[in-house]
Amino acid sequence: MMDFSFFNPTRVLFGRTALSQMATFVPKDARILVLYGSGSVVRNGTLKRIQTVLDGYDVHEFGGIEPNPSFEKLMGAVKLVRKKNISFLVAVGGGSVIDGAKFVAAAAHYDGDPWEILQTRGNRIQSALPLAAIPTLPATGSEMNGTSVITRTELSAKRVFKSEHVFPVLAVLDPTLTFTLPPRQVANGIVDAFVHVLEQYLTYPVDGPVQDRFAEGLLRVLLDIADVTLAEPENYEARASLMWAATLALNGLIGAGVPQDWSSHLIGHELTALYGLDHARTLAVILPAMLSVRKSEKHAKLLQYAERIWNIHTGSENERIDTALDNTRAFFHRLGLETSLSNYGLDESAVEALLASLRETHGNDYALGENRTVSPELARAVLEASL
Ligand SMILES: NC(=O)c1ccc[n+]([C@@H]2O[C@H](COP(=O)([O-])OP(=O)(O)OC[C@H]3O[C@@H](n4cnc5c(N)ncnc54)[C@H](O)[C@@H]3O)[C@@H](O)[C@H]2O)c1
């Protein structure tokens, strides 16, 4: 196992009663800004429930945060925070709203141009407003991590920042808040969480059996509940398992002490920035191609994945790995996600545009992935394999 430092300060309230307990953990004199997205929380009554829970507080609201939240929109919230002297943020929605609120939390305290927060990947953040996250879409794990992904629309640039200061102080996880999700978003969430685990699991062995078994447990649960939670949106137990699995997939625990890849995510971000594909849909395209192209580099863990997740024990080692990759693609297809760029109407010209965009984001000589082998040449091979 590799040496590591693990930090996670987020208090989690989980279950049907979580929302009603929330106020216990919000300072009595807080001036609150509730941030939300395109309005599903208004239509399905979630916002009303939060207003009731926060009755007695000085509460303001900021809606309209888009999927793949934009810097431009969020700067409006930063302005409001300063004008109203807000002291506590509450983000209710999917990963986009929670990520957006993290940016607002950091930008409100930032001296200088807030775009620098993204350009310096969060390194210069000294403090941030406290934030409570109420996820309504189990997927990103943003409710219990210090990561945020923000898009600057005018530059077609999607950027990540990380900071210990933007971990939510509170994550309110009520699976019933996800019952209204359309199947497309549930499927996206399952795939997003599944790929988060794989980015931290399918690297190379470092004798980390605790991390491996945690990761395998989460993968198996996601495979077990996927069909049920899609067919029965109000099956509480299945949705609760999805929600907790998605949170644990990216709260730092399974990745502590093991190598991490994340190259599929970084290429996927460019796909969203240029062509607007949902985050999870970019992963379903890029990840299988990435694993195929880097099969020999990841051989040992791919073989372990084939055996322990897909119960494949016969055939040559290469055949077992190929079958595991076929099964992974089939799982994504079964959930309604495509696994090739051409299914989204993209061709060779998109490959060139994506490669240019990757250079813009990461420099001309980038080297991504756990072994720093994902160079511009290798990224080209992955993108061509994903056509
Ligand atoms: N911070 C992280 O660690 C992290 C990790 C992975 C991805 N991300 C980022 O998160 C974003 C994606 O977040 P997401 O997948 O959660 O989706 P999202 O927040 O973009 O939401 C997708 C859609 O679902 C709708 N929705 C949400 N909850 C609903 C509900 N209960 N009922 C009905 N509709 C509902 C939203 O209105 C929106 O239209 C991307 O920008 C991605 O890059 C962040």
Side-chain angles (χ1 to χ4, degrees):
M1 193 183 304
M2 294 156 61
D3 294 351
F4 65 88
S5 158
F6 174 67
F7 173 75
N8 196 309
T10 305
R11 177 189 299 277
V12 178
L13 301 175
F14 194 100
R16 291 184 178 90
T17 58
L19 204 50
S20 61
Q21 296 171 47
M22 175 180 165
T24 318
F25 301 99
V26 179
K28 289 290 158 260
D29 58 350
R31 283 174 310 282
I32 299 173
L33 183 66
V34 178
L35 300 110
Y36 59 93
S38 46
S40 65
V41 294
V42 180
R43 291 188 294 279
N44 62 30
T46 300
L47 189 64
K48 187 98 210 125
R49 285 179 64 194
I50 292 165
Q51 285 162 342
T52 307
V53 166
L54 296 177
D55 190 32
Y57 284 93
D58 180 9
V59 179
H60 302 263
E61 288 171 13
F62 185 88
I65 297 174
E66 327 86 321
N68 308 305
S70 76
F71 174 81
E72 291 86 346
K73 175 80 191 176
L74 295 167
M75 285 308 293
V78 175
K79 220 184 234 175
L80 187 61
V81 164
R82 289 187 175 141
K83 187 167 158 209
K84 301 286 182 189
N85 204 15
I86 296 293
S87 63
F88 195 94
L89 303 181
V90 173
V92 53
S96 293
V97 174
I98 301 171
D99 281 8
K102 289 175 178 174
F103 173 76
V104 174
H109 279 198
Y110 195 77
D111 283 333
D113 176 2
W115 182 239
E116 282 171 20
I117 293 174
L118 282 312
Q119 285 176 314
T120 57
R121 299 191 166 95
N123 289 335
R124 291 202 198 143
I125 298 171
Q126 303 286 336
S127 69
L129 284 173
L131 159 69
I134 309 176
T136 59
L137 199 177
T140 64
S142 185
E143 62 277 6
M144 202 182 175
N145 70 35
T147 302
S148 166
V149 193
I150 303 297
T151 297
R152 187 148 185 177
T153 313
E154 59 184 342
L155 304 178
S156 295
K158 189 167 182 174
R159 297 279 191 274
V160 182
F161 79 91
K162 292 174 194 251
S163 169
E164 291 193 354
H165 299 288
V166 299
F167 273 84
V169 293
L170 186 62
V172 181
L173 272 56
D174 178 345
T176 68
L177 299 183
T178 73
F179 287 175
T180 54
L181 278 168
R184 174 194 178 100
Q185 297 300 342
V186 178
N188 280 355
I190 296 165
V191 171
D192 195 20
F194 197 82
V195 177
H196 288 160
V197 178
L198 292 185
E199 294 266 35
Q200 301 165 89
Y201 172 70
L202 287 179
T203 57
Y204 54 87
V206 291
D207 209 353
V210 176
Q211 292 87 337
D212 280 1
R213 291 298 189 185
F214 266 133
E216 288 156 4
L218 294 174
L219 294 172
R220 292 292 288 261
V221 168
L222 289 167
L223 287 168
D224 286 348
I225 53 91
D227 294 325
V228 181
T229 202
L230 270 167
E232 303 169 25
E234 302 202 10
N235 179 326
Y236 179 85
E237 293 306 334
R239 210 40 81 84
S241 293
L242 171 58
M243 194 164 219
W244 192 218
T247 300
L248 290 172
L250 199 49
N251 75 344
L253 182 68
I254 66 166
V258 293
Q260 303 187 20
D261 184 342
W262 299 111
S263 56
S264 294
H265 265 73
L266 295 176
I267 297 178
H269 288 171
E270 304 300 341
L271 253 174
T272 301
L274 291 191
Y275 303 107
L277 267 62
D278 294 350
H279 174 64
R281 285 166 196 260
T282 70
L283 302 176
V285 171
I286 302 296
L287 179 96
M290 180 71 73
L291 297 178
S292 299
V293 168
R294 295 169 64 201
K295 223 162 41 175
S296 52
E297 185 185 335
K298 290 173 178 284
H299 184 89
K301 290 304 282 284
L302 279 169
L303 201 56
Q304 182 175 321
Y305 172 63
E307 285 172 1
R308 295 189 184 174
I309 301 304
W310 298 106
N311 293 317
I312 302 165
H313 301 285
T314 54
S316 70
E317 292 192 348
N318 267 330
E319 283 166 354
R320 279 181 262 166
I321 288 171
D322 285 343
T323 307
L325 295 184
D326 288 346
N327 289 359
T328 307
R329 283 195 186 88
F331 176 53
F332 296 163
H333 286 152
R334 203 172 82 219
L335 297 176
L337 282 85
E338 303 293 350
T339 55
S340 60
L341 289 173
S342 51
N343 288 114
Y344 291 104
L346 299 176
D347 57 20
E348 270 296 337
S349 63
V351 172
E352 297 309 326
L354 288 161
L355 288 169
S357 214
L358 277 164
R359 282 196 298 276
E360 180 74 25
T361 306
H362 301 287
N364 284 331
D365 303 316
Y366 59 81
L368 311 175
E370 70 275 24
N371 296 313
R372 305 262 157 240
T373 51
V374 185
S375 61
E377 293 71 35
L378 199 136
R380 176 182 290 282
V382 170
L383 285 167
E384 285 174 351
S386 64
L387 279 169

